[in-house]
Amino acid sequence: MSEAAEHASMADRIQDKIHEYKGSSSSSDSEEEDSLVSRNAQRKRLFGRKQPVHAVFGGGKVADMIMWRNKQVSGGILAVVTVVWLLFECMDYHLLTFVCHAFMFVLAALFLWSNAASLVNRSPPKFPEVILREDQVLSIARSVRHEINEAFTTFRYIASGKDLKKFLMAVGGLWVVSVIGNWFSFLTLCYLVFLALCTLPALYEKYEDQVDDVGETVMVQVRKQHAVLDAKVLQKIPRGPFADKKQH
């Protein structure tokens, strides 16, 4: 009986040690998870972003295509755009010719399908009735009108001399675009923008932490150089009468 009691007490002590080890390991795991969440919350994202990359692009079907959530759809769209770019840029295809040939192909295929359906006991194609509603057209027109008005307002604000920083940024941006425009045609530039839109967000999401660290380092250096430029150059530029009145 004494040996059985001794074995039972030893088993109880071993069981207590196992429970104690599991409790300490689970608490350490939870502490590591909490510290990881806090580090992610404190990490400065690129451009001050607080939402996931997928949510930044709207979180809908367009975001799914950009972030390659459906690889077949994203790859198909990229392939079609690449073929169109090759036709126009490398084979000297013209837009009007391309549109006419595309409509000719679609009309011929639908015409043959409609006439051959009865011969092979197949149902003819169902053509959807596409009608633009008036409210949709008015909504698009209002959105375009708002964006145009915002562009004119921004242009007038920058040209009025109220903000030297925005003026220099606008002139520098337009100069960069003009230089890039000399390197590529407008179609190639649009294709490169589309290609970057379809690849860079997905790559950024995959290597998000590394890119954010490099971006934060670059932004710190940019802020330092801007502070030096502001102290040595921008602050010494004479202000206009409007800026003097604004300060008083």
Side-chain angles (χ1 to χ4, degrees):
M1 292 293 292
S2 61
E3 293 180 358
E6 184 177 355
H7 283 297
S9 61
M10 184 178 296
D12 292 338
R13 287 197 298 272
I14 294 174
Q15 193 73 17
D16 293 337
K17 290 291 184 181
I18 292 174
H19 286 300
E20 182 180 354
Y21 174 75
K22 287 183 177 180
S24 62
S25 62
S26 62
S27 62
S28 62
D29 292 339
S30 62
E31 290 177 357
E32 290 179 358
E33 292 178 358
D34 293 338
S35 62
L36 181 61
V37 171
S38 63
R39 285 198 302 269
N40 290 332
Q42 294 175 358
R43 181 185 293 273
K44 292 184 179 180
R45 296 301 180 186
L46 200 63
F47 305 115
R49 177 180 55 84
K50 296 182 180 180
Q51 295 178 333
V53 184
H54 188 267
V56 172
F57 289 99
K61 294 182 178 180
V62 177
D64 293 340
M65 187 273 294
I66 294 174
M67 304 306 299
W68 290 75
R69 294 291 189 265
N70 191 336
K71 293 183 173 57
Q72 294 180 350
V73 174
S74 301
I77 293 175
L78 182 59
V80 170
V81 174
T82 302
V83 169
V84 172
W85 174 74
L86 289 174
L87 288 174
F88 284 106
E89 192 67 21
C90 300
M91 301 179 63
D92 293 333
Y93 221 60
H94 299 285
L95 178 61
L96 184 59
T97 306
F98 174 78
V99 172
C100 292
H101 287 177
F103 275 110
M104 288 167 57
F105 176 78
V106 172
L107 287 174
L110 293 176
F111 180 82
L112 293 175
W113 185 6
S114 300
N115 286 275
S118 59
L119 299 177
V120 295
N121 295 324
R122 296 284 185 178
S123 59
K126 295 181 180 180
F127 301 100
E129 185 178 4
V130 180
I131 298 177
L132 292 177
R133 297 200 306 268
E134 183 179 359
D135 56 344
Q136 291 179 338
V137 177
L138 292 177
S139 177
I140 295 174
R142 283 194 294 266
S143 300
V144 173
R145 170 180 168 273
H146 175 72
E147 295 299 330
I148 292 175
N149 288 335
E150 287 293 326
F152 279 121
T153 302
T154 304
F155 180 83
R156 185 174 64 250
Y157 176 78
I158 294 175
S160 62
K162 299 178 182 179
D163 195 330
L164 180 61
K165 181 180 177 181
K166 288 186 176 181
F167 170 76
L168 295 177
M169 290 175 61
V171 172
L174 291 173
W175 179 77
V176 170
V177 172
S178 67
V179 172
I180 296 176
N182 286 328
W183 296 344
F184 309 101
S185 65
F186 180 73
L187 180 62
T188 302
L189 185 60
C190 292
Y191 175 72
L192 291 177
V193 171
F194 178 81
L195 188 63
L197 189 63
C198 289
T199 55
L200 293 182
L203 291 175
Y204 171 69
E205 187 181 41
K206 186 176 181 180
Y207 304 103
E208 186 174 359
D209 294 338
Q210 295 88 334
V211 175
D212 287 339
D213 292 338
V214 175
E216 179 63 22
T217 303
V218 172
M219 291 303 297
V220 169
Q221 296 298 324
V222 169
R223 293 191 192 99
K224 290 181 179 179
Q225 297 300 324
H226 178 265
V228 174
L229 179 65
D230 184 68
K232 294 184 177 181
V233 179
L234 299 182
Q235 294 295 332
K236 297 180 180 180
I237 297 177
R239 301 290 181 175
F242 181 84
D244 296 335
K245 292 179 180 179
K246 188 175 180 180
Q247 291 178 356
H248 294 293

